[in-house]
């Protein structure tokens, strides 16, 4: 009987396996010996980050907060989401190593609930990391790719309508923790203030809103341009919050330009404001010449610009308050026969100074003429450099004429008379009459020419001259040694003079000496700085 050889094969296989195991063990020992022999032989292989193609679709339901005028309102006054709108999300991906922006799918009618105050947005996110915060930006147009608000769109692309604000520029945000599979549900908070503008003329008697095609608001840091078709108001403008800001407003109807400056304005985020502003129309001297008809500035107007060759005929209407803003009008270039004051007051007038202004009268005329029996008031925060033509005062009378009363309550004013003219008061005259001159604010420098005083007039009969403690500084230069800084050039004249009062100290009504008998008013310059 033949014996089977299976046991013999099994033994051979076992020997072979033992051999290979022994060789493997020797190799492992050798490798361990080599790797322990020197630290210099260690080669670190950095572990590559795990890459996934984990694109997920997630939803979140957000609400609008309960403020009265955040986000643009519908016609019923309720803030609502709209079909087609989108929201952006900023999230972390790849275990928090990368910051990413994604935009939701447009809203459908089925996504909007709670009377339009809530909506469900759907996002497709790439490898989102769920253990960090997320931020929502609504609408998506306000979210830049670099995770900053898209204020450029807010500044330049508003059209004044509520619908456009709702869709594009009404900026809501909210951040929250993401700790699970579902995105957090949050109530969005508005980051802007909304102004509903009604614009009127300078007196408030006429609504001009429907004619306005452009509005610009500037708070000194941010500027918002609204371009629209002429239509009924109000004009809606979304702005960043302000605190005690000065806001400059300009508006145009395509032909006329209007301006308004508001001070100390606070417009808080998450609020709406109905505002009515009286706008001052702007008129420019640019391009005008002395050959044009006299330009009469009506009440409430702002005058700006440089006339051609710096000269044109300008008058302020009786009873008007006008603003000079960076005006230059030099009628000193005009030849006799065509000359005129730099500015002629027809009656009582108030001039408000803004920016830097330069005015000069033509030959025999004042820089700014004030008619007898009328009053000119000058105030504001700007500057005025005013010079009379030959024989004219800086501010006051023309040559051989009388002048009214002058009140200066603000601004930085440098007034210089022409030949034989006072800085403030009368021009050259054999016997002129001047009204009261009162300086109660601002910084004033008045210089007379030849025998004229800085304030007062040559051969003058003037009323009271008063400088109060409300001024910052008043400096007065007389024209020559034969006159006085304040008063008249006729030392021996026995005409009528009112009281000269400086800082509460009243001088004798002859205008020459103080109560101690000193010729204080004859000094040049006379400087008063309380």
């Amino acid at each position: 009987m033949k014996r089977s050889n299976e046991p013999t094969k099994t033994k051979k296989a076992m020997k072979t396996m033992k051999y290979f195991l022994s060789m493997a063990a020797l190799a492992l020992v050798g490798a361990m010996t080599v790797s322990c022999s020197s630290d210099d032989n260690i080669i670190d292989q950095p572990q590559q980050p795990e890459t996934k193609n984990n694109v997920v679709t997630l939803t979140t339901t957000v609400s609008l907060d309960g403020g009265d005028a955040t986000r643009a309102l519908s016609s019923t006054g309720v803030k609502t989401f709209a079909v087609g709108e989108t929201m952006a999300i900023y999230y972390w991906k790849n275990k928090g190593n990368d910051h990413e922006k994604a935009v939701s799918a447009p809203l459908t009618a089925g996504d909007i609930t709670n009377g339009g105050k809530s909506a469900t947005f759907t996002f497709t996110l790439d490898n989102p990391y769920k253990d960090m915060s997320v931020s929502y930006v609504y609408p998506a147009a306000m979210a830049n790719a670099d995770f900053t608000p898209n204020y450029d769109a807010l500044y330049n692309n508003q059209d004044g309508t509520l619908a456009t604000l709702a869709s594009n520029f009404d900026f809501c945000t909210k951040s929250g923790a993401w700790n699970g599979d579902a995105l957090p549900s949050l109530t969005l908070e508005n980051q802007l203030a909304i102004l509903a503008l009604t614009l009127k003329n300078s007196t408030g008697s006429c609504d001009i809103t429907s004619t306005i095609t452009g509005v610009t608001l500037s708070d000194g840091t941010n500027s918002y341009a609204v371009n629209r078709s002429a239509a009924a108001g109000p004009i809606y403008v979304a702005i960043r919050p302000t605190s005690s800001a000065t806001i400059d407003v300009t508006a145009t109807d395509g032909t006329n330009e209007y301006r308004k400056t508001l001070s100390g304005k606070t417009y808080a985020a998450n609020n709406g404001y109905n505002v009515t502003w009286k706008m001052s129309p702007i008129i420019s001297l640019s391009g005008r010449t002395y050959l044009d008809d006299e330009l009469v500035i009506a009440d409430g107007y702002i005058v700006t610009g440089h006339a051609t060759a710096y000269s044109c005929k300008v008058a302020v209407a009786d009873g008007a308050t006008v603003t000079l803003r960076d005006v230059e009008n030099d009628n000193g270039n005009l030849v006799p026969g065509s000359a005129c004051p730099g500015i002629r007051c027809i009656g009582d007038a108030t001039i408000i100074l803004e920016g830097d202004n330069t005015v000069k009268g033509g030959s025999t005329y004042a820089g700014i003429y004030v008619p007898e029996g009328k009053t000119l008031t000058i105030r504001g925060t700007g500057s005025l450099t005013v010079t009379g033509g030959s024989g004219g005062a800086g501010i006051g009378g023309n040559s051989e004429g009388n002048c009214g009363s002058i009140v200066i309550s603000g601004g930085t004013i440098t007034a210089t008379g022409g030949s034989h003219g006072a800085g403030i008061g009368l021009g050259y005259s054999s016997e002129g009459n001047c009204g009261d001159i009162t300086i109660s604010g601002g910084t004033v420098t008045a210089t007379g020419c030849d025998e004229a005083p800085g304030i007062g007039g040559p051969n003058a009969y003037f009323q009271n001259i008063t400088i109060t403690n409300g001024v910052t500084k008043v400096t007065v230069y007389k024209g020559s040694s034969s006159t006085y800084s304040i008063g008249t050039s006729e030392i021996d004249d026995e005409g009528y003079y009112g009281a000269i009062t400086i800082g509460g100290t009243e001088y004798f009504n002859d205008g020459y000496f103080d109560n101690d008998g000193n010729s204080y008013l004859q000094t040049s310059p006379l400087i008063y700085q309380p």
Side-chain angles (χ1 to χ4, degrees), residues 173-192:
T173 65
K174 192 66 175 180
S175 297
W178 187 11
N179 298 318
D181 290 336
L183 291 170
S185 294
L186 303 170
T187 298
L188 303 179
E189 295 178 352
N190 195 277
Q191 305 300 308
L192 303 176

Side-chain angles (χ1 to χ4, degrees), residues 190-453:
N190 195 277
Q191 305 300 308
L192 303 176
I194 295 177
L195 308 183
L197 308 181
T198 298
L199 306 181
K200 295 192 173 185
N201 64 355
S202 59
T203 63
S205 61
C206 179
D207 190 328
I208 62 173
T209 310
S210 62
T211 69
I212 298 301
T213 56
V215 177
T216 300
L217 278 71
S218 176
D219 60 13
T221 302
N222 310 294
S223 183
Y224 310 89
V226 178
N227 296 296
R228 65 192 293 264
S229 299
I235 301 170
Y236 292 94
V237 187
I239 67 172
R240 298 173 70 175
T242 64
S243 178
S244 299
T246 296
I247 296 180
D248 288 314
V249 186
T250 59
T252 181
D253 59 12
T255 301
N256 302 300
E257 188 177 358
Y258 303 85
R259 188 164 293 177
K260 179 77 172 181
T261 298
L262 304 113
S263 299
K265 303 306 294 185
T266 296
Y267 296 121
N270 202 32
N271 281 275
Y273 301 85
N274 292 307
V275 296
T276 300
W277 294 332
K278 291 187 288 186
M279 304 294 293
S280 298
I282 297 175
I283 191 165
S284 177
L285 303 185
S286 298
R288 294 189 63 87
T289 76
Y290 71 92
L291 297 173
D292 296 323
D293 292 336
E294 185 177 58
L295 178 64
V296 179
I297 311 299
D299 183 54
Y301 271 75
I302 296 172
V303 187
T304 188
H306 298 182
T308 300
Y310 306 131
S311 57
C312 67
K313 296 183 283 293
V314 179
V316 178
D318 186 14
T321 296
V322 302
T323 299
L324 301 186
R325 178 177 294 164
D326 297 318
V327 163
E328 188 165 353
N329 194 45
D330 183 357
N331 283 332
N333 295 328
L334 299 183
V335 298
S338 61
C340 56
I343 296 176
R344 180 176 75 94
C345 296
I346 295 174
D348 293 327
T350 297
I351 292 176
I352 302 171
L353 300 176
E354 294 183 3
D356 298 320
N357 303 278
T358 302
V359 177
K360 186 174 183 179
S363 177
T364 75
Y365 287 94
I368 298 178
Y369 169 65
V370 184
E372 184 179 12
K374 303 300 181 180
T375 299
L376 167 65
T377 300
I378 300 176
R379 57 184 173 88
T381 58
S383 70
L384 170 65
T385 300
V386 57
T387 307
S390 178
I395 303 172
N398 302 322
S399 178
E400 296 293 351
N402 301 323
C403 77
S405 296
I406 300 164
V407 177
I408 297 174
S409 60
T412 300
I413 297 170
T414 302
T416 304
S419 177
H420 299 280
I424 300 173
L426 282 170
Y428 175 78
S429 175
S430 59
E431 192 176 279
N433 292 292
C434 184
D436 290 337
I437 298 174
T438 303
I439 304 176
S440 60
T443 300
V444 177
T445 302
T447 303
C449 184
D450 298 324
E451 287 80 26

